[in-house]
Amino acid sequence: MASRQLLALGVAVVAISAGGLTRWWLAPARQTPPGSRASESTGERLARMQREASLDDAPAQARLATEWMREGLRSGDEQHLLHARVAARRALLVDPERVDALKVELLLLHHDHQFQDLRDASRRLTELFPHDAFFQGLLGDAELELGRYDEAETAYARMMDLKPSHATYTRVGYLRLMRGDVDGAISVLKLAATSADPRDGDTVARALCELGDAYLARGEPDTAIEYFTVALSHAPGLDRAHAGRGHVLRMRGLPDAAAVEYRAAMTARPKSGHRAFLADALMAAGREQEAQAEYTQAFQDTAQDAREQARLLLDLGRDVAQAEVLARRELTRRQDVFTQAVLAYALVSAGKLDEARPLAEAALRLGTRNARLEYVAGLVASADGARDEARLHLDAALRGFPPLPPRQLERARALLGALASPSPNVSAQALGQPTK
């Protein structure tokens, strides 16, 4: 019975469109496969493994799928992920209970933003493999993206009971950060950093970046940049470390230096988010022509991520109606606070305050310290005439991380200035909407 269920699961997840993985998934340390050669490049090693793996050798295909998946997550190369899909499928056709291949398919569901399918599949696999912490972790990841934070916490607690580890501590720390418990997050993320295999520089560096992000949330950028800098000594070129340094440099009023860091992040991992940050830094430095080119490319790069495409449209003041369509569509796939905030942003920009208000409130319900969440809450509160509330949110947005784009920084400052005015029409004027 279990074999039939697993085969059905494998068939169900084989053909899925491309998407983006949550920033805090940490792949396990790469193990040197049997027969590998130390002098081989990553591409050469994977190509050799593919040549040597018989199509009907489930263990070999599963190892190949795992390696392709790991390198795909590190590099962001969609071709690597395509190879992982094919190898995992081959392994499961031969052995439907091949656990490592099933794990690759779950990671692909996560990558493709198929969070409901991920939750259903992970839940089934936690029943079939109740002592495997990995499946509890992926169940928690799915619940997190679906906005079911209590359920995510339960899954992570079970994961902790089964296997306290770097991966477990990272998840628990991130969830605490989401809930606004920054000090608690830092405590757990320090455990994550110390429990990482010191021989695996990449994993150690990513753990240090998690701590850097937590110190940014606590309002300690000087401490944060130290963590990002040390992370680069463990994994030179790590994109997250460069991006973190870029955030701090932008807040210090050094946009050109920030642009160097963001470009290094984008070179290491060409993500639309890194490119958008680069464009923000270039715009802040007065290099508008370069910035516009990067914004255009960033928008093209978000084709498979409706939430990010909607956010970019809104940031650039383009096609609010299309941004609303995209954000509504994404909310059917995941109901986390960031997706709720983007839709609230689109709705308040379209003058649909009654719809925007509950979404903005929902986006703040955890107490997450994030500049974008605060910015959207400030826009909504201002449009609602709640001056004191708007000032609190906009001030937090200006001081928070990651830094707002220049256009939004300027708008937040202008809105704060307008809120100090006694004019009864201040919110409509500041938002650029018709006064009534």
Side-chain angles (χ1 to χ4, degrees):
M1 181 63 176
S3 296
R4 289 195 297 272
Q5 290 172 328
L6 289 169
L7 179 57
L9 170 67
V11 172
V13 300
V14 64
I16 309 164
S17 60
L21 194 64
T22 48
R23 66 174 187 82
W24 49 274
W25 166 256
L26 301 179
R30 180 176 63 81
Q31 302 297 320
T32 304
S36 66
R37 300 163 190 153
S39 61
E40 287 178 317
S41 69
T42 298
E44 290 170 339
R45 175 176 57 81
L46 290 169
R48 176 181 54 76
M49 288 179 66
Q50 188 155 300
R51 287 194 305 271
E52 294 174 353
S54 172
L55 297 182
D56 59 357
D57 186 340
Q61 289 294 332
R63 283 195 300 271
L64 182 60
T66 300
E67 288 296 307
W68 278 120
M69 189 74 211
R70 185 170 294 126
E71 294 304 327
L73 293 182
R74 291 180 190 276
S75 67
D77 190 326
E78 291 293 331
Q79 284 299 311
H80 286 8
L81 299 180
L82 177 60
H83 288 309
R85 294 175 196 274
V86 173
R89 183 88 300 276
R90 286 171 176 164
L92 289 171
L93 286 174
V94 176
D95 180 3
E97 295 186 19
R98 188 75 205 178
V99 174
D100 42 357
L102 286 166
K103 290 178 178 180
V104 169
E105 292 212 326
L106 289 189
L107 291 174
L108 289 167
L109 282 175
H110 198 312
H111 172 81
D112 296 333
H113 294 189
Q114 302 293 324
F115 300 117
Q116 184 64 56
D117 289 343
L118 176 62
R119 181 176 67 178
D120 294 344
S122 297
R123 184 177 292 161
R124 174 66 59 83
L125 288 167
T126 61
E127 295 169 357
L128 295 173
F129 301 99
H131 302 297
D132 194 318
F134 180 93
F135 296 122
Q136 289 291 347
L138 266 291
L139 175 59
D141 296 353
E143 301 284 20
L144 192 81
E145 295 290 346
L146 293 169
R148 295 161 54 91
Y149 297 101
D150 289 343
E151 291 81 356
E153 186 170 10
T154 298
Y156 293 156
R158 290 175 183 151
M159 185 186 187
M160 184 75 78
D161 289 340
L162 289 168
K163 187 179 181 181
S165 66
H166 162 75
T168 314
Y169 294 135
T170 299
R171 285 170 162 86
V172 173
Y174 180 76
L175 183 55
R176 287 189 180 182
L177 201 58
M178 288 290 293
R179 291 189 181 279
D181 179 10
V182 178
D183 290 343
I186 288 172
S187 296
V188 177
L189 291 172
K190 285 181 177 179
L191 288 174
T194 56
S195 62
D197 183 347
R199 296 168 298 179
D200 182 5
D202 187 79
T203 298
V204 171
R206 290 175 185 275
L208 293 172
C209 287
E210 297 288 350
L211 278 164
D213 288 343
Y215 278 104
L216 287 182
R218 196 157 80 171
E220 298 182 22
D222 292 344
T223 302
I225 201 169
E226 290 178 6
Y227 276 101
F228 295 130
T229 302
V230 174
L232 288 171
S233 71
H234 288 273
L238 180 64
D239 63 310
R240 286 193 57 193
H242 282 298
R245 285 176 53 83
H247 294 341
V248 176
L249 291 169
R250 272 192 62 204
M251 291 298 288
R252 288 178 175 175
L254 300 169
D256 285 302
V260 172
E261 297 290 347
Y262 291 136
R263 195 177 296 280
M266 192 185 65
T267 299
R269 186 178 174 86
K271 292 172 56 178
S272 60
H274 294 332
R275 194 181 293 277
F277 285 133
L278 171 60
D280 292 343
L282 292 170
M283 184 66 75
R287 298 156 64 178
E288 185 171 351
Q289 187 172 358
E290 293 176 76
Q292 290 301 333
E294 297 296 347
Y295 280 131
T296 299
Q297 186 60 53
F299 184 75
Q300 294 173 1
D301 292 345
T302 63
Q304 301 299 328
D305 190 333
R307 184 176 74 188
E308 284 304 292
Q309 197 161 54
R311 184 188 62 75
L312 266 174
L313 284 172
L314 295 165
D315 284 352
L316 297 173
R318 303 175 186 169
D319 204 342
V320 171
Q322 178 62 12
E324 181 184 340
V325 169
L326 290 167
R328 285 187 187 277
R329 181 190 307 162
E330 190 64 16
L331 196 65
T332 66
R333 304 175 72 183
R334 53 179 168 177
Q335 295 80 44
D336 65 304
V337 295
F338 298 110
T339 306
Q340 290 170 327
V342 171
L343 180 53
Y345 188 8
L347 291 168
V348 74
S349 299
K352 299 178 181 180
L353 179 59
D354 288 343
E355 288 186 81
R357 189 185 299 111
L359 282 164
E361 291 174 355
L364 291 178
R365 70 188 185 275
L366 299 178
T368 310
R369 301 187 190 182
N370 179 277
R372 285 200 169 273
L373 299 186
E374 297 287 357
Y375 175 70
V376 172
L379 294 183
V380 172
S382 175
D384 211 15
R387 291 174 175 243
D388 290 343
E389 183 181 345
R391 279 194 288 265
L392 286 173
H393 289 307
L394 291 168
D395 183 63
L398 290 173
R399 292 183 290 103
F401 286 90
L404 295 176
R407 186 171 179 270
Q408 279 59 44
L409 282 171
E410 182 179 330
R411 189 179 183 191
R413 288 170 181 147
L415 186 51
L416 275 172
L419 285 166
S421 164
S423 168
N425 290 321
V426 59
S427 54
Q429 293 168 354
L431 285 168
Q433 299 169 2
T435 59
K436 297 185 179 180

